Amino acid sequence: MAFTFQINNDVVWDYDENLLERAEANIPELIETKVCPTGIVERISADQRTNEFTLAKSQKNILHLSDYALGRGESLILDLGDHYVGHFSIEINSVGSPMDAPLYLRLKFAEVPSELYAASEDYDGWLSRSWIQEEHVHLDVLPAKLQLPRRYSCRYVELSVIDTSPKWKASFSNPLFVAESSVSMNQLSDSTIEDAELKAIYNVSVKTLQDCMQTVFEDGPKRDRRLWLGDLRLQALANYYTFNDLFLVKRCLYLFGGMRTTEGKIPANVFTAPELTPDDTFLFDYSLFFITTLYDYVQHTSDYDALENLYPIAKKAIDLALEQVDSEGRLVLSEEWPVFVDWSNDFDKATAGQAIVIYTLKRFIKLAEMYNDQQHSNYHQMLEKLIDFSKQALFDNKRKQFVVEETNEVNLASQVWMVLAEVFDSNKNKKIMQETIKQHFPITGIATPYMYHHIVEALFMADCQEEAIRLMKDYWGKMIDLGADTFWEAFKPEDLDFSPYGSPILNSYCHAWSCTPAYLIGKYLLANE
Ligand code: RAM
């Protein structure tokens, strides 16, 4: 089971106005920064390039931009010098004879060069092509200042003149990108990372997080531009070790708390415009992450007011999830409420799902204790049952690995989540991860930094620090080698063009769940110094 479009028209929503008011009271004011392009770049021809992540520096000088007037079929690419999220404007004039026809212009905004190499019209994937950051505009009268209303997430802006007339050309000047985020790099304290590779990974993680921090923690400022629970959990963790913007986490927790189904199910994501709207998409593990995100937040902030307000919602959410656990302590998943774990469909997620319930229930019990819930002993019994079942029915002593009950399948995600859930003690977890390295490394077939995050964290937790650092460098470091300014939603080192959507033009190249090295480095490497 994996993520696909869900349409659940019969869901009845329960809006809690009191909680939603608290969410709205914490809307941040966005910080604006003016960015001027730093250069002009060009495509590299197919026979000259080794991958689609590089462009060549142009001979053209950005300081003389207005001299490079463009006629029919001509284009140039502005380079902002880094990845930003915000609004673009540019002044345009006509040069030559009088303007005897409108200017027909295409603007394309790209986070990485591969979006420029891909022809938009060839896209035939399953997600909407409306995500492609591209505009076609007519300007009847020049000079004019073109101020585009849409927000873009990009480093490159391509200006392509579709047509002028043989009598005149279009000349461009004063391109300006006004970048937006709810946080500023000035809020960071100096990090003391000596290892150059890790420092670079840390910096790109922080930039990724910054660009995703808007009026909510967005999953991707290019796509899907909304608040997903699974992404929020990881962004909040990275935020605690970096910007430490507690209001934005609080806002997002209240948004989920204020919009759930009448039975108490928490949606996988919510929209905030034109009005607060929950999406009719439900992922079993994402619903549970409301509880773990609340736990992390209360632990970090001691905000007992939030605990008071949101604990009843967390309790309903765990109760609903535990209804899926049978009398032997086995999680029985359903098609209507699938567990996500990763984009890949090539492995069975049942055992990882079981571990996520244990991981969450442990944290819920701590919340129940903080809240002084008198009824929490039932949860302890349930936890024991889930753990006993996992140890007895799901752990294969000979293979030293967790299996999937029905098929005996041994997969990476099962080991990783069972280690994160601390089903066994640290000694045994270390042996499980050492065996995991033997059996499943080098990793193939995993395309999300989301899953890689969990693998690295499991390695750190199982005292395999060297391997954890190696994997971080091999995976996130490889994106940097390819030129990443921010970390990508999907990346398969063994298949650079991989996209879950049928074309890289739809991939998000600044994605929430990829920002976690800032947390991993902060928690497991810097905190110990
Ligand atoms: C995609 C996005 C999002 C993620 C979901 C499950 O739509 O990448 O960030 O959480 O999948």
Side-chain angles (χ1 to χ4, degrees):
M1 281 180 278
F3 181 74
T4 51
F5 280 123
Q6 291 182 23
I7 299 177
N8 295 301
N9 288 329
D10 48 352
V11 176
V12 184
W13 294 103
D14 186 5
Y15 289 86
D16 186 322
E17 293 306 332
N18 176 29
L19 299 184
L20 293 178
E21 263 169 38
R22 285 168 187 265
E24 295 299 75
N26 286 287
I27 299 182
E29 226 172 86
L30 296 180
I31 302 164
E32 293 188 348
T33 314
K34 289 184 178 166
V35 179
C36 295
T38 56
I40 298 177
V41 287
E42 283 170 7
R43 285 185 182 74
I44 303 171
S45 62
D47 54 329
Q48 298 282 307
R49 60 178 189 250
T50 44
N51 61 52
E52 305 212 322
F53 294 102
T54 34
L55 293 164
K57 226 170 162 266
S58 166
Q59 297 294 318
K60 294 186 176 118
N61 184 338
I62 187 71
L63 299 175
H64 304 140
L65 178 64
S66 59
D67 295 348
Y68 311 121
L70 305 182
R72 176 191 286 183
E74 293 177 323
S75 64
L76 56 80
I77 304 167
L78 305 175
D79 180 0
L80 299 178
D82 202 347
H83 182 278
Y84 296 101
V85 177
H87 289 85
F88 179 72
S89 64
I90 192 160
E91 290 168 20
I92 313 173
N93 207 345
S94 67
V95 289
S97 293
M99 186 183 172
D100 60 343
L103 167 65
Y104 188 21
L105 181 67
R106 187 190 75 156
L107 297 102
K108 194 169 181 185
F109 297 83
E111 297 188 303
V112 298
S114 58
E115 291 161 275
L116 296 173
Y117 286 115
S120 312
E121 52 281 13
D122 293 347
Y123 175 68
D124 187 26
W126 61 277
L127 275 193
S128 174
R129 61 185 308 117
S130 61
W131 288 116
I132 299 171
Q133 302 189 108
E134 186 173 53
E135 311 298 344
H136 289 82
V137 285
H138 285 86
L139 289 152
D140 291 299
V141 181
L142 294 178
K145 180 172 176 177
L146 177 65
Q147 169 87 54
L148 292 167
R150 194 161 185 251
R151 195 198 71 187
Y152 304 98
S153 179
C154 63
R155 168 168 174 169
Y156 305 103
V157 183
E158 182 177 40
L159 306 168
S160 308
V161 167
I162 299 173
D163 220 338
T164 51
S165 114
K167 287 167 66 90
W168 60 276
K169 287 189 168 197
S171 148
F172 299 85
S173 56
N174 295 325
L176 180 68
F177 198 87
V178 180
E180 297 164 5
S181 167
S182 59
V183 287
S184 147
M185 290 293 181
N186 299 335
Q187 288 166 238
L188 297 174
S189 44
D190 284 345
S191 65
T192 52
I193 307 164
E194 270 163 28
D195 182 305
E197 273 177 273
L198 285 182
K199 196 178 170 83
I201 292 173
Y202 183 89
N203 289 343
V204 175
S205 304
V206 172
K207 179 72 172 126
T208 307
L209 179 62
Q210 182 193 29
D211 286 356
C212 292
M213 286 175 78
Q214 300 293 330
T215 54
V216 292
F217 280 98
E218 291 186 16
D219 64 330
K222 170 186 161 190
R223 203 219 85 245
D224 305 326
R225 301 169 67 141
R226 74 192 67 144
L227 173 62
W228 282 86
L229 242 172
D231 301 74
L232 169 64
R233 165 178 160 253
L234 298 182
Q235 284 168 301
L237 289 172
N239 172 48
Y240 299 146
Y241 285 89
T242 53
F243 301 106
N244 204 25
D245 177 349
L246 306 180
F247 295 109
L248 197 64
V249 184
K250 192 199 307 204
R251 165 166 163 72
C252 294
L253 279 168
Y254 276 105
L255 282 173
F256 280 112
M259 295 187 274
R260 63 233 186 243
T261 68
T262 43
E263 49 172 347
K265 218 186 234 186
I266 299 174
N269 67 91
V270 298
F271 304 91
T272 49
E275 57 199 22
L276 301 181
T277 310
D279 190 12
D280 57 341
T281 295
F282 301 93
L283 297 172
F284 181 81
D285 38 354
Y286 276 31
S287 298
L288 286 177
F289 290 145
F290 176 78
I291 301 164
T292 66
T293 309
L294 177 61
Y295 169 77
D296 294 332
Y297 173 74
V298 176
Q299 273 286 100
H300 183 67
T301 58
S302 304
D303 181 348
Y304 294 113
D305 183 51
L307 176 67
E308 197 68 28
N309 290 317
L310 298 174
Y311 176 80
I313 290 146
K315 183 167 176 170
K316 193 76 215 151
I318 196 79
D319 287 347
L320 266 182
L322 293 178
E323 280 175 21
Q324 309 257 145
V325 178
D326 71 11
S327 58
E328 290 176 69
R330 171 195 293 109
L331 173 68
V332 184
L333 287 162
S334 67
E335 281 294 331
E336 303 74 62
W337 202 13
V339 68
F340 174 70
V341 181
D342 183 56
W343 264 114
S344 171
N345 269 336
D346 297 340
F347 64 88
D348 191 308
K349 298 172 180 176
T351 299
Q354 170 102 6
I356 292 172
V357 178
I358 297 170
Y359 176 93
T360 307
L361 186 51
K362 285 186 172 178
R363 283 152 183 80
F364 174 76
I365 288 172
K366 290 195 180 138
L367 286 176
E369 286 165 1
M370 288 186 228
Y371 185 84
N372 244 328
D373 186 343
Q374 302 305 320
Q375 300 162 353
H376 73 256
S377 62
N378 299 347
Y379 296 109
H380 283 282
Q381 286 161 18
M382 192 53 139
L383 180 62
E384 250 171 65
K385 222 195 250 182
L386 280 155
I387 292 179
D388 285 351
F389 180 81
S390 306
K391 286 179 172 171
Q392 277 145 33
L394 302 180
F395 191 70
D396 182 331
N397 278 311
K398 267 204 214 115
R399 295 159 93 182
K400 297 192 217 115
Q401 294 275 279
F402 283 93
V403 297
V404 171
E405 190 187 16
E406 268 178 36
T407 55
N408 254 340
E409 174 183 312
V410 172
N411 65 49
L412 183 54
S414 306
Q415 321 312 317
V416 161
W417 270 107
M418 283 291 178
V419 167
L420 293 173
E422 297 171 282
V423 166
F424 285 118
D425 64 18
S426 43
N427 277 343
K428 188 137 179 181
N429 280 344
K430 185 168 187 169
K431 289 190 185 123
I432 293 172
M433 285 316 285
Q434 284 169 337
E435 191 58 31
T436 300
I437 293 168
K438 271 194 217 149
Q439 293 194 25
H440 306 278
F441 282 37
I443 299 168
T444 51
I446 302 285
T448 62
Y450 181 72
M451 190 66 224
Y452 272 88
H453 160 82
H454 293 113
I455 303 168
V456 173
E457 181 149 40
L459 288 168
F460 274 123
M461 284 190 55
D463 196 20
C464 301
Q465 180 164 315
E466 220 174 276
E467 292 82 353
I469 295 174
R470 185 68 278 137
L471 189 57
M472 245 193 304
K473 288 184 175 177
D474 285 351
Y475 189 69
W476 282 271
K478 177 97 194 258
M479 282 188 246
I480 294 183
D481 291 346
L482 289 167
D485 302 303
T486 48
F487 287 129
W488 308 340
E489 168 189 26
F491 177 55
K492 246 189 199 178
E494 73 276 18
D495 175 7
L496 297 185
D497 295 330
F498 174 80
S499 164
Y501 312 112
S503 162
I505 204 167
L506 260 277
N507 288 14
S508 153
Y509 291 96
C510 173
H511 211 73
W513 65 22
S514 317
C515 75
T516 61
Y519 155 75
L520 295 165
I521 294 170
K523 177 167 180 180
Y524 295 101
L525 299 175
L526 297 182
N528 302 334
E529 277 179 355

